[in-house]
Structure formats: structure tokens, C-alpha cells
Amino acid sequence: MLLELAQYLGKDIRAFNVFGYITLRAVLACLTALAISFITGPLVIRKLTAYKIGQSVRDDGPQSHLTKAGTPTMGGALILVSIGITTLLWGDLSNRFLWAVLVVTLGFGAIGWVDDYRKIVERNPKGLSARTKLFWQSLIALVAAVYLAFAVSSPSSARIFDLFTAWVGSGFSMTLPPKADLILPFFKNIAYPLGVWGFIVLTYFVIVGTSNAVNLTDGLDGLAIMPAVMIAGALGIFAYVAGNTVYSKYLLLPYIPGAGELTVFCGALAGAGLGFLWFNAYPAEVFMGDVGALAIGAALGTVAVIVRQEVVLFIMGGVFVAETLSVMMQVLYFKWSGGKRIFRMAPLHHHYELSGWKESQVVVRFWIITMMLVLFGLSTLKLR
């Protein structure tokens, strides 16, 4: 929106041409989202409190969490509003990838909102059933996966439909160009061709898996949002490189025309996340809820797919991966052993709390681990 205005004014006043630089707009997007969060945050918290949209706490969890009962939740709506407004203000609205990520983010946010609303407002402890939630997540992820399979492979939006019809005409057996291959970090020339079906399956698991992993991690004040901010910043760098012909060639990464614009989205996500952390830091004034956690995870997964860094996302999101695996291991072992547990409590952050760590210690130490993993992931840009 503001980009179009700057381009129009730039015809007569050259100073406005500076807004054409993605890096500047990414910084401005981060600052704008941060400002929106700071300004609207207190109002959102007051409204959630007035409507008695408070968090319920498990009785079998750490006793220190009982004091959190009644804290306003569904604060993730603040993150989505900040991201949406900021992206529309500073992003290139003709960019196909920008709209794809926005639609996926808001779609998963809507699923989380309905789930939170039923649990908290309608007092339905089940909220959305696991099957219903997975159905809608799968539907959005599969539609996005099919679209991205051809959007990533196409030099422009005009060619997406042509590639899709060619795939259908080939009897659904068409291959994709090398830029759509699965890239292995730290190796110059090793990439695995996925084909259309492989790309769709991988994209589905990345989006749905990351969404639910962030949701499982969101159990302590500030635990999920700060790693998401750090990963978003790193993915913004990957997006900028992937969308730049010079840098992508130099760093031996696939050139994805238009992917650079996702740097603006990542900036908006980072700014909105930091703004939310201001109110979510211990002791939290508001919780994210499914509306925020599901949306943020889906956003990170979608960006990673577009810039072809699914494996790097797995590395940088190691905390999210560990939290998810702890739940899976706990459930499977509990059923197999007839009631025994591997961890004191799952997800993993509760295990450490029950082992004697204070909540703030768990959060900060998980942040430190994520920071190291993000730096390790960024090192793959050059170490090949």
C-alpha cells in the first residue's frame, strides 16, 4: 500500500525511491508491527479481561501455574492484527508469495481462534476436536502445498496455471525444476528431486508440523514467541538471499523470483512477536492461545518451504522439535509400558519445571539454545 504510494511519488521526488529497497521496508515493517503491538496491546488486554476470556490451568501440572488461572488469553489475535496491517502497509501487494503466507497464517489463526473461543467463551473443554482441527489444518496446508509446488517453480504468477495444467495433462507425473528440490545444508551439490507429489507431501508436513510444534511449546511465559521471533529473523535473511540473483548464485542457493518480499513479512512477524513479548514476559499479562501459536508456526513453515530451507527450519526450530518429540515419546511409552512415563510431564518444559528449574530459567535457557541453533542454521548460508 505505502510501497505503491512511494512508487507514485518517486516519479517526481526521487527520495521516495528508497522505499523500493526490501531491506528498508523490512526494518520499517518490524518497527511498525512493534508500534502497533505497543499501542493496541493494553486495549486488547483490557477487552479480553472485561469479556472474562481467561486461561484455565491443569490441576496435574506444576503448582506454580495455578496462579496463572484467569490470565487473559487469545492474545495471539494482537500478533495477527499487527502482522496483517504491517504487511499490507509495507509489502508489495502484487507478490504471490506474500499473499500465500498471509492466507495460510490467517487461516491457521482462524482455526486457533475457533478452538480458543469454544474452550474459553463457550466453556466447552474439548474446543475443536483433534480430528476437526487436523482436518481444517490439512485442508489449508494441502491447498497451499499444491499452489506452492507451482509458484516456487514458476518465474512469475502468469506461469503458475500453465504449469498446473501441464501437470494434469501429464497424468500427474510431471517433474519440477531443480529449484524445487529438497536441499541438504552443508553440501554444495546434494539435493533430492521431490517431484510434485513429493513437494506437496513435504510441504504439508512442514506447515502442519511446525504449527502444532509451536502450539505445544507455548506453555510458559514467553517460551514460544521469542524462538519464533529469532527464527523469523533468520528466515527473512534466507528469503532475501533466495530472491536476489547475485546473492543466491554466490551462496549456491536456488533463485526464487519474488521470495525476497517475504523479508518484509518476516520483519513484521518479528516486530509483532517482540511487541507481544512485552506483555507476555514473566509474569504474563496475556497468553497467546492457539490463535497465535498455530498461526505463527504455519507462517514459519510456509516461509521455509518457499525459500527451500525445510531442513534448516528443522535445525533452527530444535526447541519446537524437542517439545513435540517429548509429547510423542511420552504418549507412546505410556501406552506401551502400561502407565509408565519417560518424563515427569510432557511437553519437555514441564519436565524441567518439575525437576526443580524455575519457569524463568526454563524460558531463558530454551531461548539461549534457540539462539545457538539459529546461528548454526545461518552458518549454512556459507558453509557448503
Side-chain angles (χ1 to χ4, degrees), residues 116-343:
D116 285 338
Y117 187 86
R118 289 190 178 182
K119 281 193 233 181
I120 298 166
V121 179
E122 296 182 351
R123 306 298 177 185
N124 180 350
K126 294 183 179 179
L128 279 177
S129 66
R131 182 175 298 179
T132 302
K133 188 186 296 186
L134 181 60
F135 169 79
W136 288 110
Q137 287 178 323
S138 299
L139 180 63
I140 296 172
L142 286 173
V143 171
V146 172
Y147 176 78
L148 291 177
F150 303 105
V152 168
S153 305
S154 304
S156 64
S157 300
R159 293 290 309 279
I160 295 175
F161 184 72
D162 294 337
L163 273 179
F164 177 76
T165 53
W167 177 55
V168 175
S170 69
F172 304 102
S173 60
M174 186 181 75
T175 59
L176 293 175
K179 67 173 66 177
D181 292 350
L182 175 63
I183 299 174
L184 292 184
F186 301 111
F187 296 95
K188 288 183 179 180
N189 302 312
I190 298 181
Y192 290 96
L194 295 171
V196 178
W197 288 113
F199 188 100
I200 291 172
V201 171
L202 176 65
T203 300
Y204 167 81
F205 280 110
V206 170
I207 294 176
V208 175
T210 309
S211 176
N212 287 300
V214 174
N215 194 33
L216 287 172
T217 307
D218 183 35
L220 300 179
D221 299 351
L223 178 59
I225 191 61
M226 192 60 191
V229 167
M230 289 188 277
I231 294 170
L235 286 176
I237 296 174
F238 279 103
Y240 184 76
V241 171
N244 187 290
T245 53
V246 177
Y247 292 149
S248 60
K249 182 178 180 180
Y250 173 69
L251 294 171
L252 302 176
L253 293 176
Y255 170 55
I256 313 292
E261 198 63 30
L262 292 179
T263 309
V264 178
F265 176 86
C266 290
L269 198 163
L274 288 173
F276 178 77
L277 180 61
W278 183 271
F279 305 103
N280 186 237
Y282 181 84
E285 300 176 54
V286 65
F287 295 139
M288 191 189 306
D290 287 7
V291 61
L294 292 179
I296 289 174
L300 295 176
T302 307
V303 173
V305 167
I306 294 172
V307 301
R308 314 305 306 127
Q309 297 298 326
E310 299 94 341
V311 177
V312 172
L313 174 64
F314 185 85
I315 295 171
M316 295 191 298
V319 166
F320 299 144
V321 174
E323 294 273 29
T324 305
L325 289 177
S326 70
V327 174
M328 295 172 63
M329 293 168 60
Q330 185 87 321
V331 172
L332 291 175
Y333 187 74
F334 186 86
K335 292 181 178 179
W336 177 78
S337 65
K340 295 182 180 179
R341 292 177 172 85
I342 300 176
F343 306 102

Side-chain angles (χ1 to χ4, degrees), residues 66-138:
L66 296 177
T67 59
K68 299 174 183 285
T71 302
T73 189
M74 296 179 70
L78 172 63
I79 301 175
L80 296 185
V81 169
S82 299
I83 292 174
I85 293 175
T86 301
T87 304
L88 293 177
L89 283 176
W90 293 112
D92 180 0
L93 301 185
S94 64
N95 185 279
R96 62 191 188 276
F97 295 128
L98 203 64
W99 283 109
V101 176
L102 267 180
V103 169
V104 171
T105 303
L106 296 178
F108 273 73
I111 296 171
W113 186 87
V114 172
D115 189 37
D116 285 338
Y117 187 86
R118 289 190 178 182
K119 281 193 233 181
I120 298 166
V121 179
E122 296 182 351
R123 306 298 177 185
N124 180 350
K126 294 183 179 179
L128 279 177
S129 66
R131 182 175 298 179
T132 302
K133 188 186 296 186
L134 181 60
F135 169 79
W136 288 110
Q137 287 178 323
S138 299

